[in-house]
Amino acid sequence: MIYQAAKVTVPLVHAQSRPIDLVQPFLKVDGEGGGDVRISESTGSLYLYAGDDVLATTVRGAAVGPDDCAAAFERSPSRSTVELNAEDTYCLMTPSASMPGQAVVRLTVARPAAGANAVTLTMAAWDTHPS
């Protein structure tokens, strides 16, 4: 496991997106094109935009591990844009230059309070080919 239950707070600024590094979610990523995914709020909905080399899929249930994510990637094709909600769990997979294999990330989102200016993501990550 790379990390477990990391809580990442994402500011919600209409029409602006926040880049996130999936392997190091607390790393401050600046600029366009940075990070593996971007989180953005638009017209009251929250979206995740995956980079070109990132797979993203939705899984039902909260107790999701790397094997569940692998099965979900096999069952359903990945999408580059995913609308996030508090009822689903999201699996993301990205190659990582700092590790020998791929990183699989489980992401859940806490429902923000009405008028909130931030949302909390809970993330866990596993190296699929630990050395």
Side-chain angles (χ1 to χ4, degrees):
M1 176 162 271
I2 300 169
Y3 60 85
Q4 64 182 16
K7 290 191 182 289
V8 179
T9 300
V10 178
L12 296 178
V13 179
H14 184 69
Q16 292 184 3
S17 62
R18 158 97 191 288
I20 297 175
D21 182 299
L22 293 175
V23 176
Q24 299 176 12
F26 297 109
L27 180 70
K28 176 130 175 75
V29 181
D30 292 317
E32 290 298 319
D36 300 307
V37 298
R38 299 182 86 73
I39 303 291
S40 152
E41 183 272 333
S42 178
T43 62
S45 295
L46 192 61
Y47 294 94
L48 178 139
Y49 302 95
D52 291 341
D53 59 348
V54 175
L55 301 176
T57 192
T58 304
V59 181
R60 292 284 176 185
V64 174
D67 293 338
D68 302 307
C69 287
F73 287 123
E74 287 181 18
R75 280 193 312 273
S76 61
S78 65
R79 301 182 302 258
S80 60
T81 302
V82 177
E83 184 174 355
L84 300 176
N85 64 66
E87 291 78 35
D88 291 321
T89 297
Y90 305 92
C91 291
L92 307 161
M93 185 176 352
T94 183
S96 173
S98 64
M99 294 181 301
Q102 295 173 311
V104 173
V105 178
R106 178 187 65 223
L107 181 147
T108 58
V109 58
R111 183 183 308 277
N117 59 2
V119 65
T120 300
L121 307 176
T122 301
M123 301 167 63
W126 299 267
D127 182 353
T128 60
H129 299 94
S131 53

